[in-house]
Structure formats: structure tokens, C-alpha cells
Amino acid sequence: MILPYDHRALWVKAKLFINRAMDDDECRSFDEQALWASLALELLAKAALARVNPLLIAEPTEDGTNLLMASGLMEGDALFTSVKAKTLFKRCQRSFKPFNLAEAAKITNARNEYLHGGGIGFATLPPHAWWPRYWAQAVILISALDMEIGDFVGTDREDTVTAHLSQNAKNIEHRTEALIERAKQRLSQYRSGTLPVKVAAEWKPGSMDVDAGLQYRTVEICPACGAEGRLEGDTVSDTDYHYEQISEEDYEVSVSITVDADYFSCPTCQLILNGYELIVQAGLPDTFETEGDPSDFIEPDYGND
């Protein structure tokens, strides 16, 4: 019996779907290829999470059937339901850096529109632009499963995937360079008084709140103008506790945390780098340390001894 949360079975099914997606254009249209690929991505996400713990993909219900099945405490013919794709991708973003929720959601949203809506679905991007972005996310999940590209698509199709990944790396490099150069240009035009009138009326250093409002932040030098910018993040990847004795029986606790960088902004030139890959490409640190609130990380003593 194949369990619906068995990561090996999910991996095999993902392989089946991606090979349908990579059939020649003469066999399948791009819409159909992208449909099968989007389904494969969701299965990869399930497999990667379920390999860590099947509970990570179980939809919680009042009777707990899915959780009980995933934990091995319940057997039988009950129907197992997994969490929605968006939840899967959120958990993958937190667990398997640099998996990008926003990019994965675009793929899923296009699939839903293609299947259920009246819109154009996958046609918003041409195939030569869509596939590099797709493989940039899929390869992260393949690595999370301790597999190689060839294990997923077969050695005869590995070069195709590698070419798409190379193109995506160039896209990230070019996009980062363009954002930095545009920020430099705007600031230079502002300082020289050559900004177009309409732009000048709206743009000046500090005129816009470019913060993302994420929970943690630190100061970092802007790669465009050299001023102080802000590196932000929500995900804590490590904690370090410090104890200082203040009396014979009492200790004061402080917490240093390591946070994954997800967003950078500069109020001076208004550069925004929204995403891990852009931040790393710009030469900024992918994590930062800051002080945490001990109450967020230390469970209270309820006195139940």
C-alpha cells in the first residue's frame, strides 16, 4: 500500500509529471507543458517537506484524521488531505533557502487561472522566460530531497535544465545591476537638478517610506549610493542565549538572533532589493544578527512542578 504522504511516492509522481512537461513542443503545447510542470513543483514541495516529517503536509482538521494518519497513529481507508499549495510553498520558503514563495505562487496562480478562470493563464510569460524561473525554484526542492537534476528529469534532459538555470542566473544578475544603476541615476539627477519635473515633484531622498515593515532589521551600507540602508527579515535561523547573574538567585537573560535577509531598502536613493537572490547578487549579507526579545524565545515558567 502506497501511503499518500510517502515522500518517495510523491517524488516518483513528480518525476512522471515533469517528464510529461518536457515532451517536445510537437507533442504538447506550452500551456500543457506548464500545467504538468506546475503540478510537479507542488509534488516536489510535498515530497521535500514530507521527507522531513509527514506532519508538515497534513491538513489539520477538528477530528485530527490527517495528522493522525501522517503521524502513523491511524490506519485504514480514511482519505488523507494535504495542505494547500500556498501553505506548502510558505513552509518551503522557511525551510529550504532560497526557495521563493512569490515565484512559486505565480506558477500556481497561473495554473489555477488556466484551469478555472477565463484569463490567459501561463501566456503572461513566453516559454523562454518562464522555464528559467520555474527551474530556479524546482532545483532548490530537488536539492532538499538530496537528489540531482539528472535523478529528476533523466540524464538526457539534464543539459536542458542546466541551460535554463544559467539563463536565470543571468536574469538575476542583470535585474540587480539594473536596479542599482537606476537608483544611482535617479540620485545623480536629483543632486544635479536634471530630474524630469514630474519625477522631481515626487522623488527626493527620504520622501518615500521604502521599509517592508518586517519584524527584524539592521543597518547595512547601500550598494548603490553608500548611504545607510536597512536589511530586513522575519525568519530567525539561530538563537544564542546569554545569562548574566544579577543576584544570588536571579539571572538576566538576553538573546542574540540570526535572521535570514529578505528585503533591503535605502531611504536616500530609494533602492529596493525585494528577495534573497537579489540581496546576495548585490553583495549584501544573506543573514544578520540582532537582539531579540527574550519573551519571544523563552517559554514562561507555569509553576506546574
Side-chain angles (χ1 to χ4, degrees):
M1 176 182 175
I2 299 177
L3 298 174
Y5 45 81
D6 181 2
H7 75 272
R8 291 174 292 268
L10 293 166
W11 163 257
V12 170
K13 194 170 184 179
K15 288 175 61 176
L16 172 65
F17 285 6
I18 198 61
N19 277 282
R20 289 178 181 173
M22 296 183 75
D23 283 344
D24 294 337
D25 293 345
E26 296 178 0
C27 300
R28 303 187 193 280
S29 67
F30 169 61
D31 282 348
E32 189 178 353
Q33 289 178 319
L35 173 62
W36 286 114
S38 67
L39 294 170
L41 186 68
E42 185 173 343
L43 286 166
L44 276 178
K46 286 184 181 180
L49 290 168
R51 184 170 181 260
V52 177
N53 193 320
L55 289 169
L56 291 173
I57 69 168
E59 176 71 27
T61 57
E62 188 174 351
D63 63 4
T65 297
N66 298 315
L67 297 174
L68 291 169
M69 291 177 67
S71 64
L73 294 175
M74 178 178 172
E75 298 180 358
D77 298 328
L79 179 65
F80 177 81
T81 305
S82 63
V83 294
K84 297 178 180 179
K86 185 176 181 180
T87 302
L88 290 171
F89 295 148
K90 278 184 178 180
R91 293 175 182 179
C92 286
Q93 178 173 261
R94 288 182 172 269
S95 305
F96 311 124
K97 288 287 186 181
F99 186 83
N100 189 300
L101 167 64
E103 288 293 320
K106 289 175 185 176
I107 294 170
T108 301
N109 292 341
R111 179 191 72 192
N112 293 340
E113 180 62 32
Y114 177 69
L115 290 174
H116 308 296
I120 57 179
F122 296 109
T124 54
L125 282 177
H128 70 268
W130 191 88
W131 282 111
R133 297 172 71 168
Y134 173 86
W135 282 112
Q137 303 310 311
V139 74
I140 297 167
L141 300 178
I142 294 169
S143 297
L145 285 155
D146 290 329
M147 295 291 185
E148 302 291 338
I149 295 170
D151 298 323
F152 189 50
V153 301
T155 55
D156 57 329
R157 287 172 164 168
E158 188 172 358
D159 288 345
T160 301
V161 177
T162 302
H164 285 313
L165 289 171
S166 176
Q167 182 60 46
N168 187 70
K170 290 178 182 177
N171 289 341
I172 293 170
E173 179 183 350
H174 293 162
R175 185 181 172 199
T176 305
E177 182 180 358
L179 289 169
I180 291 175
E181 289 304 313
R182 179 58 181 142
K184 288 180 179 179
Q185 182 186 59
R186 276 196 311 258
L187 185 60
S188 176
Q189 287 179 305
Y190 170 77
R191 288 173 173 171
S192 64
T194 59
L195 268 179
V197 176
K198 289 184 178 180
V199 178
E202 300 174 355
W203 195 99
K204 62 180 179 179
S207 63
M208 295 174 57
D209 184 6
V210 290
D211 274 15
L214 303 185
Q215 186 173 2
Y216 304 106
R217 63 184 58 196
T218 191
V219 173
E220 194 65 44
I221 299 301
C222 176
C225 69
E228 289 188 351
R230 290 182 286 270
L231 200 59
E232 301 180 54
D234 274 333
T235 304
V236 176
S237 56
D238 194 20
T239 56
D240 189 13
Y241 299 93
H242 308 279
Y243 300 90
E244 181 181 351
Q245 188 169 7
I246 57 176
S247 68
E248 187 174 339
E249 296 183 353
D250 289 334
Y251 289 82
E252 187 175 86
V253 183
S254 61
V255 180
S256 298
I257 57 175
T258 301
V259 181
D260 295 338
D262 289 321
Y263 185 93
F264 174 83
S265 63
C266 175
T268 300
C269 67
Q270 297 177 19
L271 171 68
I272 293 176
L273 300 173
N274 186 9
Y276 175 91
E277 291 177 320
L278 296 176
I279 289 170
V280 173
Q281 181 63 44
L284 294 168
D286 58 355
T287 64
F288 60 90
E289 293 186 359
T290 188
E291 185 177 345
D293 185 343
S295 64
D296 292 337
F297 301 94
I298 300 175
E299 294 185 3
D301 183 0
Y302 292 105
N304 292 330
D305 296 340

